[in-house]
Amino acid sequence: KMTVKAVKMPCTAPNVYTKVPDGGWGWIIALAFFFVEALTYGIIKSFGVFFNDLMESFDETNSRISWIISICVFVQTFTAPLSTVLSNRFGHRFVVMVGGVLISTGMVTASFACTVVDMYVTIGVISGLGYCFSFLPTVTILSQYFDKRRSLVTAVASTGECFAVFSFAPAITALKERIGWRYSLLSVGVLQLSIVICGSLLRPIIIKEQEEAKAQPPEEPTETKYMLENEQTRTSIESIDSGVEITTSPSNVPGNAKAEPKSEEPKEHVQILLEDNSTPPEPKTKLLDFSVMRDCSFICYAFFGLFATLGFFAPSLYIIPLSLSLGISKDHSAYILSAMAIAEVFGRISAGWVLNKKPIRKIYIELICVILLSVALFAFPFASEFWGLMTCSVFFGFMLGTVAGTHIPLLAEDDVVGIEKMSSAAGVYVFIQSLAGLAGPPLAGVLVDTTQNYSSAFYSCAAGMVLGAVFLSLVRPCKAGLCHRQRPCPEDRAANFVPELPEDFIEMDIGRVENSGKAGDSV
């Protein structure tokens, strides 16, 4: 059971626990993350409903319009280290609230855009920066509130993205028919302003494990006796002039009755040392720890995220154009995107439930899901009518949910970097993903413009996912190799152990030997 809170504070102050709560205010954080997911990635994945309208209004090609989301995803991921630094400096709550304002500002301004370049700046840069400030701090602080339930809670909370795609795609399509795409985009921007409310709920968490240790009855550690011996040795050395023999153990001191009063003072001194050591000053938190880049397992995992990102966004952007090219109506095309979102919900929950089981090697489950996701991407070009495309979309949505809802929380597992470095690792990891986020949709758009076939976009996504699976398969072997080299055997540590002795003891002992040698020579 969770221990009681060490301190009760107002809702604006940090939550202080003696251990990871696995609940408590974490459930409110999970609810906030649900809506943040819906209003960030949910909107990005639903943006495909505007594609044809933007191509007609601005008279642009597929690849040019694709750059809007491409720049948005690039800025979102490229500025991830900045989000980490600001969160560590100013707190997650403030950064997420600023992100909500930026997202809303970019979307509302984009509704008045005259050219596609205006869209690059408003949605791509301004809203993209806001997406980064909103999403990453929220998922990071959610991971800090949970330990045993982390995978399941994060997976369930991340379904907000899926419910958003399921509801926003048909709703925005219907809204466009009534008020046009510009006012529809304006309405989306106003709705996204509610991210500020979600950010205000993110109370920071402090884990004080030492509180529980102080409550236990103090036991004198073995190191105390060693320190006591050194103190008594110092006392005996300082008493050379009074004829007290130099010793290294209290049992060897001549006249135990006389030596006992002198041992009182060292005991007090030792107790003071232990009290000072019991509450060491807390190390200064690094704003961004790049030491994770020396971890081979993290590097392989980052390359997995780099290539897998190619398959995350393009399918949701091109599924509606693909269905329209096959002669499927707009309404049925929106239903396909909604079905993909529903399947993604079940995929996220299923992955969270499986990964929550112990003992289980989570990195291998993730690898299986990535391989099946690659198969789903290869299946899209073979669909030629509505039900075939619906089947591929449902399968893809389910497998996408298993990967998309778990790949960032898996950074907190010991197979990658662990919970201690999760904040910095998430910033660096998402930063590395930015290259694929920038290149993915335009690359797919160029292939579509060149081949005049939407199937080529799905082939490029599948190729990236296969490369990601290769790097993911190397994460665990790299981690095992590093652990083997970094952890010396207990026998080696025992052989290399050299007890620390006071410097004055060595100097006085050597001095005494030299003096006795001179006295012998004079005699």
Side-chain angles (χ1 to χ4, degrees), residues 49-129:
V49 300
F50 292 106
F51 249 58
N52 291 335
D53 299 290
L54 296 178
M55 290 174 61
E56 294 175 1
S57 298
F58 299 136
D59 192 22
E60 296 287 355
T61 61
N62 261 296
S63 58
R64 294 268 295 175
I65 298 299
S66 298
W67 275 101
I68 299 174
I69 293 300
S70 179
I71 294 174
C72 178
V73 174
F74 172 75
V75 172
Q76 176 190 0
T77 51
F78 185 81
T79 56
L82 175 62
S83 174
T84 300
V85 170
L86 293 178
S87 298
N88 292 335
R89 177 64 180 86
F90 300 105
H92 298 80
R93 176 191 291 121
F94 174 75
V95 175
V96 173
M97 293 174 70
V98 171
V101 174
L102 289 174
I103 293 173
S104 180
T105 302
M107 280 292 185
V108 170
T109 308
S111 63
F112 300 98
C114 298
T115 64
V116 70
V117 177
D118 297 335
M119 287 279 191
Y120 294 162
V121 176
T122 53
I123 296 180
V125 178
I126 300 177
S127 293
L129 185 62

Side-chain angles (χ1 to χ4, degrees), residues 332-401:
H332 285 77
S333 299
Y335 292 149
I336 292 176
L337 190 60
S338 298
M340 181 189 297
I342 294 175
E344 189 175 343
V345 171
F346 289 100
R348 289 173 183 263
I349 296 176
S350 301
W353 179 79
V354 172
L355 294 179
N356 201 50
K357 299 294 182 181
K358 291 186 178 182
I360 190 172
R361 187 65 68 185
K362 299 180 181 180
I363 202 76
Y364 293 149
I365 301 298
E366 186 84 352
L367 177 59
I368 295 173
C369 295
V370 171
I371 294 174
L372 292 176
L373 183 58
S374 304
V375 174
L377 288 168
F378 276 116
F380 271 103
F382 296 96
S384 57
E385 40 85 28
F386 174 76
W387 287 111
L389 200 58
M390 176 68 78
T391 303
C392 293
S393 299
V394 170
F395 181 48
F396 170 80
F398 183 86
M399 299 316 305
L400 178 64

Side-chain angles (χ1 to χ4, degrees), residues 43 85 120 133 143 169 188 190 223 262 279 307 319 355 372-373 375 400 404 412 416 425 435 459 517:
I43 297 297
V85 170
Y120 294 162
F133 286 178
S143 299
V188 171
V190 173
E223 298 166 347
K262 291 187 178 181
T279 57
F307 290 107
I319 187 66
L355 294 179
L372 292 176
L373 183 58
V375 174
L400 178 64
V416 189
L435 299 176
Y459 282 132

Side-chain angles (χ1 to χ4, degrees), residues 468-508:
V470 172
F471 282 102
L472 184 61
S473 65
L474 299 175
V475 172
R476 176 60 187 165
C478 288
K479 193 67 174 183
L482 282 177
C483 292
H484 179 70
R485 289 194 298 269
Q486 289 178 353
R487 295 181 181 176
C489 331
E491 293 80 3
D492 296 338
R493 288 198 299 263
N496 296 329
F497 174 74
V498 178
E500 296 180 1
L501 294 176
E503 295 179 0
D504 56 351
F505 171 76
I506 298 174
E507 293 172 358
M508 292 297 296

Side-chain angles (χ1 to χ4, degrees), residues 28 234 393 458:
I28 304 298
R234 292 183 190 180
S393 299
F458 292 90

